[in-house]
Amino acid sequence: MLATVMNAIFLQATMESIGIPTRVQTAFRMSEVAEPYIRRRAIRHLEKGRVVIFAAGTGNPFFTTDTAAALRCAESPPVLRHSSLLTVNPVNAEVVLKATNVDGVYDDDPMHNPNAQLLDTLTYHDVTSRELSVMDMTAITLCHENNIPVVVFNLNKPGNISSAIRGERVGTLIGAA
């Protein structure tokens, strides 16, 4: 959880250095570095044109940051739902963006199988029935139950974050059939 806070603060500093007003909200109190997560305050920041970065997961053990991202998205009606590392805009969200170290979801572990194939699209059922290690099952189930698509893409490829935010095709899209 603390690593996500450190990443969120770094992302905030980067965004603010290019003129994007940003706030970090955490699942537990860290008043010296971030605001506590309060849904109404997050909405108000968004109304003022600020980016809101959510960190520290749900603040509870046994729940991954993937689950926290899915939960923040599901809390509101369907503009942008974002990643397991952080969540941008919990209001009117359209998609969870899962930034990772690989190009998307593969049919096998590409680190151990050089013949593993990158999958362009998957259904939620594909992920669960094939036991693909995309997100934890709680997160993928929350996304499925709330019809929240997930885009899994490589964080380390230049331009991928911008492309994903603009809705351009990157990585693997997980959604309904």
Side-chain angles (χ1 to χ4, degrees), residues 131-174:
E131 297 180 8
L132 298 172
S133 300
V134 178
M135 304 171 90
D136 67 86
M137 288 302 145
T138 303
I140 203 70
T141 300
L142 258 172
C143 289
H144 184 193
E145 289 175 352
N146 291 281
N147 198 29
I148 303 166
V150 179
V151 175
V152 181
F153 66 96
N154 192 331
L155 172 67
N156 300 312
K157 275 196 175 169
N160 264 4
I161 294 175
S162 298
S163 294
I165 289 172
R166 287 192 303 267
E168 296 171 6
R169 189 69 192 186
V170 293
T172 302
L173 173 64
I174 302 168

Side-chain angles (χ1 to χ4, degrees), residues 112-123:
H112 296 103
N113 179 358
N115 297 318
Q117 298 292 312
L118 178 64
L119 304 169
D120 289 332
T121 59
L122 290 166
T123 65

Side-chain angles (χ1 to χ4, degrees), residues 13-119:
T14 301
M15 294 177 84
E16 288 186 344
S17 74
I18 59 173
I20 300 170
T22 308
R23 297 294 184 272
V24 173
Q25 290 192 343
T26 59
F28 48 84
R29 290 199 176 276
M30 302 181 80
S31 57
E32 288 77 18
V33 296
E35 300 175 10
Y37 170 69
I38 299 170
R39 185 174 179 273
R40 286 184 175 179
R41 181 177 277 176
I43 291 168
R44 186 69 182 129
H45 285 313
L46 294 167
E47 290 170 348
K48 290 182 174 187
R50 299 176 184 134
V51 170
V52 181
I53 303 169
F54 300 106
T58 64
N60 300 297
F62 310 114
F63 292 94
T64 68
T65 53
D66 290 343
T67 297
L71 179 61
R72 295 290 181 252
C73 292
E75 285 178 325
S76 301
V79 174
L80 179 67
R81 298 173 183 176
H82 185 27
S83 118
S84 65
L85 173 63
L86 44 94
T87 306
V88 180
N89 193 347
V91 192
N92 300 321
E94 292 177 356
V95 64
V96 169
L97 301 177
K98 178 164 173 72
T100 186
N101 293 320
V102 294
D103 290 333
V105 181
Y106 287 81
D107 62 356
D108 197 7
D109 186 343
M111 302 299 183
H112 296 103
N113 179 358
N115 297 318
Q117 298 292 312
L118 178 64
L119 304 169

